[in-house]
């Protein structure tokens, strides 16, 4: 095995946001030295990695030059310059997840085409070079309201996804490359995280169930295990494994899925890294997703993905109407409750719906955990003195 | 509540070793900004806290000047300059644990006198200004071999404790202030960690059982929960609570105890901080000892001290015969086993018996965990290419 524990070994991470921050807890545990490239000099990882480099993640030179200083390269955000990664890989650098997979995943149209090409179940879709072209389809009666619009690139925290219900909604869309999808009536939104290392070892985490905030299109609760029939869970795991296998993926892949009203499993989208739907694992799982990400990209044996206890995650997002220096109102109230762990991401300023942290609730009884989660959600508020 | 999550708030920590490193995982989780004073510029915390200051922890000016830059001050090692802490406290700085308690604990003779004064059960002892004076007692027949010798100050990792069996052992002792204790025949060595915040809330962790390496006087296994009768566990918890109450202690206190052959509980010694006997809590407990330390010193509500699963901790100490750049031989073998988590402290060089890390083994079945712990112990080796 490579001596990862030597200060001569450097793991490079593209991106220094909250996912990077939680990944650093694990590199510190294993004493793996980290170097981070990040656009924002005040990002959550700024002061707690071994080397922090400020540079544009979408700039070829910034990414290429950074890559030349590290031994293994990974990401905590997929919107990075892929031409630089291709060149670095050609020159022999170990990069996981693979640049070719990031290229498929970075663009939602390419991602959807991949599912179709590999007979992976997904909602029907159309691809447009510009949103304005959707209007022609509408006029030609080839598209009907309502439908889901998704920017092909750089969708994040819900800004890249809209439900289009009428002509006004249609005309207010950003004019970018996009896809449209039929609005699928579904029973549940599910997710499965799959880890695969370079040697081909694969493990799946339990299926989780997600509840979304109806307006912000952000996850409100992630519930592990999902309260679904075991045959549905098995089907979801199989679909997720097929995606990983067809991509020949190495690393951690979070596969988001719909369970339709007739119990079909459709892939919604994937994320090639630790994911919001796996944060519960820090407190609930034998091996959390961040440690598992490291194990997979460093070709170490994968850890046990089972849970010790049931886990529920509540996102802490900025309250509407507040912008500025953040205050976590009533955090001391939730600390009084057994099994409640807040994670604060270290962002100085809150904005409406900005992800500022999350809270994990664990309990041996999932119904108790669910009640506590509600109590947490109703108690803590992410606000600011300025509004 | 104080806004700990503002970058204007600074938690000062005296010491930047492995305990500080594990504490930083929790300050990062809660986004509490840290400033560390540490003598060794390459210490485990060097690159991963917000501010790292190199300075001698025993030097008045270094500690005093550092204290003036922080809002709350705590320790991860108790051997620090107490006169500086007294002055900082007089000037209004919040310091937990309290300097007066550190003064009692720092000196083992003072610690033992405290137990006697408060009728806390402990082994009989004698106090000597210099080890050479023990010889007079021996010549006057007031002391008999074998006995336990302990340096009054700065005992660490076993260097300050010896079993004296004959006149040669006696003559080879360092000539420092010390105590001698009767060698107590005991069934078990136990420990209880107690947390208390400034508001007076108190919680105890389950009683753990320790197995020591016979030569190095270092813990080999810490087993939680201890496999003892519940009446003994209850007695141990009561004694630990009495120590905390009599000290009027704020923070985390690890109380090490003997269970004698006739089932008495005797206090051996205490540590006023997160402790080796609580490392299992990172993986096994609802609230780990490092998060609990933060909760107690910041006067936050204390977390649940129950365990999710049984936990066993194996210390990773440098193998005899090896010194130099460290190699963790077979670490990838132990990563294959379910429920095994290594913690590597980030020390560049190994030495015989140096604490280099630990491994936690968790399982819902303690007997399986104990078998796995043995397997881990027999598999991983902390060595060096140089020897």
């Amino acid at each position: 095995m490579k001596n990862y524990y030597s200060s001569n070994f450097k793991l490079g991470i593209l991106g220094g946001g909250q996912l990077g921050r939680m990944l650093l807890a694990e590199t510190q545990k294993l004493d793996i030295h980290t170097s981070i490239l990040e656009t924002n000099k005040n990002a959550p990882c700024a002061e707690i990695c071994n080397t922090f480099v400020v540079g544009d993640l979408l700039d070829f030179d910034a990414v290429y030059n950074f890559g030349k200083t590290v031994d293994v390269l990974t990401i905590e955000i997929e919107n990075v310059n892929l031409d630089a990664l291709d060149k670095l890989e050609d020159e022999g650098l170990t990069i996981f997840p693979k640049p070719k997979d990031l290229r498929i995943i970075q663009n939602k149209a390419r991602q959807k085409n991949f599912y179709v090409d590999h007979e992976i179940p997904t909602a029907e879709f159309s691809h447009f070079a510009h949103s304005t072209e959707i209007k022609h389809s509408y006029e030609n009666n080839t598209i009907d309201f309502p439908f889901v619009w998704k920017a092909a690139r750089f969708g994040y925290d819900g800004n890249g996804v809209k439900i289009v219900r009428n002509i006004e909604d249609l005309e207010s869309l950003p004019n970018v490359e996009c896809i449209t999808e039929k609005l699928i009536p579904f029973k549940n939104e599910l997710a499965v995280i799959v880890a695969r290392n370079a040697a081909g070892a694969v493990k799946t985490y339990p299926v989780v169930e997600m509840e979304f905030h109806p307006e912000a299109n952000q996850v409100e609760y992630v519930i592990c295990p999902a309260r679904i029939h075991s045959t549905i869970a098995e089907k979801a795991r199989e679909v997720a494994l097929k995606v990983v296998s067809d991509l020949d993926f190495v690393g951690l892949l979070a596969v988001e899925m719909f369970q339709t009203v007739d119990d079909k499993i459709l892939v919604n989208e994937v994320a090639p890294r630790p994911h919001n739907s796996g944060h519960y694992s820090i407190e609930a799982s034998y091996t959390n997703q961040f440690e598992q990400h490291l194990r997979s990209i460093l070709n170490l044996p994968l850890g046990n993905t089972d849970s010790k206890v049931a886990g529920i995650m509540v996102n802490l997002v900025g309250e509407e109407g507040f912008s500025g220096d953040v205050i976590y109102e009533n955090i001391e109230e939730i600390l009084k409750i057994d099994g409640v762990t807040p994670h604060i991401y270290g962002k100085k300023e809150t904005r409406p719906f900005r992800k500022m942290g999350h809270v994990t609730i664990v309990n041996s009884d999932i119904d108790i955990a669910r009640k506590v989660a509600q109590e947490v959600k109703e108690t803590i508020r992410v606000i600011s003195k300025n509004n």
Side-chain angles (χ1 to χ4, degrees), chain A:
Chain A
M1 189 178 117
K2 223 162 165 158
N3 191 359
Y4 299 122
Y5 312 101
S6 131
S7 49
N8 297 324
F9 176 85
K10 280 255 180 246
L11 173 65
I13 304 171
L14 296 174
Q18 62 257 28
L19 298 175
R21 189 176 173 100
M22 289 183 269
L23 196 56
L24 289 179
E26 305 308 315
T27 58
Q28 288 165 18
K29 199 168 82 185
L30 290 169
D31 194 37
I32 291 165
H33 290 247
T34 51
S35 190
I36 286 185
L37 180 70
E38 162 62 44
T39 309
N40 170 8
K41 74 176 166 47
N42 297 316
C45 291
E47 291 179 342
I48 59 174
C49 56
N50 297 94
T51 308
F52 187 75
V53 181
V54 176
D56 186 346
L57 292 168
L58 294 170
D59 180 72
F60 180 92
D61 289 334
V63 172
Y64 177 78
N65 292 334
F66 175 78
K68 296 307 273 184
T69 67
V70 301
D71 298 294
V72 171
L73 187 59
T74 190
I75 55 148
E76 64 102 54
I77 185 168
E78 55 273 32
N79 296 322
V80 298
N81 188 293
L82 292 180
D83 294 333
L85 294 194
D86 284 342
K87 187 166 157 72
L88 287 163
E89 195 178 47
D90 284 348
E91 291 171 6
L93 185 64
T94 301
I95 307 176
F96 292 124
K98 296 171 191 167
K100 77 161 187 60
D101 287 339
L102 293 180
R103 204 172 280 281
I104 293 165
I105 292 164
Q106 231 187 35
N107 183 301
K108 282 184 186 159
R110 217 176 278 138
Q111 210 185 113
K112 292 288 279 191
N113 281 324
F114 180 87
Y115 302 144
V116 172
D117 292 349
H118 290 80
E119 297 179 338
I120 291 162
T122 191
E124 277 179 46
F125 77 104
S126 303
H127 177 204
F128 299 91
H130 299 91
S131 300
T132 48
E133 294 169 15
I134 303 172
K135 212 170 166 184
H136 304 301
S137 295
Y138 173 69
E139 287 160 358
N140 297 333
N141 293 316
T142 56
I143 196 166
D144 265 344
F145 299 125
F147 63 84
V148 180
W149 171 92
K150 293 180 180 178
R153 293 166 188 270
F154 298 14
Y156 186 63
D157 273 8
N159 297 322
V161 180
K162 307 235 184 267
I163 295 176
V164 178
R165 299 184 188 279
N166 52 45
I167 193 81
E168 287 75 37
D169 285 354
L170 178 55
E171 285 175 347
S172 67
L173 292 172
N175 193 23
V176 294
E177 184 187 355
C178 60
I179 61 170
T180 61
E181 278 182 1
K182 270 170 82 163
L183 198 61
I184 302 286
F186 58 83
K187 282 186 196 167
N188 279 306
E189 294 209 39
L190 307 174
V192 176
I193 292 176
V194 184
R196 184 164 177 269
N197 68 14
V202 183
K203 295 214 181 186
T204 60
Y205 279 85
V207 182
V208 301
E209 176 193 339
M210 296 181 287
E211 284 182 41
F212 278 70
H213 186 287
E215 290 150 47
N217 198 41
Q218 281 185 320
V219 178
E220 268 200 320
Y221 300 106
V222 172
I223 301 170
C224 179
R227 294 159 304 176
I228 55 174
H229 196 277
S230 63
T231 56
I232 301 295
E234 198 38 55
K235 205 190 280 188
R237 279 177 135 159
E238 274 167 24
V239 169
L241 283 168
K242 178 163 166 57
V243 178
V244 165
S245 165
D246 289 350
L247 285 170
D248 189 27
F249 190 82
V250 174
L252 211 64
L253 193 76
V255 183
E256 295 186 67
M257 291 172 283
F258 299 114
Q259 176 192 359
T260 65
V261 288
D262 53 349
D263 283 341
K264 285 202 189 100
I265 294 292
L266 301 182
V267 172
N268 179 20
E269 60 182 52
V270 301
R273 49 167 168 77
H275 187 252
N276 196 260
S277 66
H279 289 351
Y280 77 89
S281 65
I282 298 174
E283 283 80 16
S285 304
Y286 282 94
T287 311
N288 76 53
Q289 65 165 347
F290 298 96
E291 180 180 338
Q292 198 77 293
H293 179 78
L294 291 177
R295 287 177 181 239
S296 63
I297 61 166
L298 298 175
N299 202 23
L300 292 166
L302 298 179
N304 184 354
T305 54
D306 292 343
S307 293
K308 299 168 195 166
V309 282
I312 299 190
M313 195 248 357
V314 176
N315 278 317
L316 291 181
V317 300
E319 190 119 337
E320 273 190 284
F322 294 92
S323 290
D325 287 353
V326 63
I327 294 170
Y328 299 91
E329 194 180 71
N330 294 331
I331 189 167
E332 66 286 14
E333 293 303 314
I334 69 165
L335 285 170
K336 286 178 188 163
I337 312 169
D338 276 358
V340 169
T341 307
H343 291 253
I344 306 296
Y345 297 155
K347 299 175 183 177
K348 216 174 135 56
E349 303 206 333
T350 184
R351 289 191 302 268
F353 303 115
R354 188 177 193 197
K355 278 189 196 163
M356 300 297 289
H358 74 263
V359 182
T360 309
I361 298 97
V362 293
N363 199 293
S364 52
D365 181 333
I366 195 167
D367 296 322
I368 295 175
R370 183 62 186 75
K371 278 185 200 127
V372 171
Q374 181 108 17
E375 191 183 341
V376 164
K377 179 115 198 107
E378 288 165 3
T379 304
I380 190 168
R381 291 171 76 216
V382 181
I383 59 169
S384 174
K385 268 180 228 157
N386 326 316
N387 62 347

